[in-house]
Amino acid sequence: MHINPTTEQQQQFMEMPDLGPVFMINMLKFKTDGLPKYQAYMKAVAPLIAEVGAELVWSGQPLGVLIGPTDETLWNAVLIVKYPNKMALAQLGGHPDYPGHLRTDALADSRLIATTELSLL
């Protein structure tokens, strides 16, 4: 179960080069009663996301596996949040009003993957 970053993961993130915007891919598995709790978290965190200059770019519900192991339980939701830089994400997590307890109460497991833009064409 991975809900919150370890101290080591936080340190590694802060040591990453600042290459501009960070697109955080969130893969989420909810507890049995987690969806409404996560929706409450999103409602509470939305003004803070805007305050640090970030935005929810996309959210969706996985439908199935096209390539890869099919014996795994699918994630319940996937979100992409765009932050102007890595410090904006750090500001969000350190904000005195950050409702982390709502997120923790909602999730059974999660993965957050920090990405930057890459042109493939």
Side-chain angles (χ1 to χ4, degrees), residues 65 68-74:
V65 177
T70 57
D71 57 343
E72 295 181 14
T73 303
L74 287 177

Side-chain angles (χ1 to χ4, degrees), residues 17 20 22 29 47 68-69 73 107 111 113:
V22 173
K29 286 186 187 176
T73 303
L107 295 177
R111 301 292 184 274
I113 303 168

Side-chain angles (χ1 to χ4, degrees), residues 9-95:
Q9 288 170 321
Q10 289 175 326
Q11 183 177 352
Q12 288 173 350
F13 177 77
M14 293 311 297
E15 291 172 357
M16 288 179 189
D18 192 348
L19 301 174
V22 173
F23 293 80
M24 188 64 67
I25 300 170
N26 297 252
M27 299 186 310
L28 310 172
K29 286 186 187 176
F30 299 126
K31 294 177 181 173
T32 303
D33 59 348
L35 178 58
K37 291 180 179 182
Y38 197 82
Q39 290 169 324
Y41 162 76
M42 288 301 293
K43 184 176 181 180
V45 80
L48 305 180
I49 288 172
E51 184 178 315
V52 301
E55 63 178 310
L56 175 64
V57 175
W58 179 85
S59 64
Q61 180 179 1
L63 297 175
V65 177
L66 181 62
I67 297 175
T70 57
D71 57 343
E72 295 181 14
T73 303
L74 287 177
W75 298 98
N76 299 120
V78 178
L79 293 84
I80 300 174
V81 180
K82 179 182 179 185
Y83 295 87
N85 52 53
K86 69 179 187 177
M87 289 310 298
L89 178 60
Q91 287 175 321
L92 177 67
H95 196 287

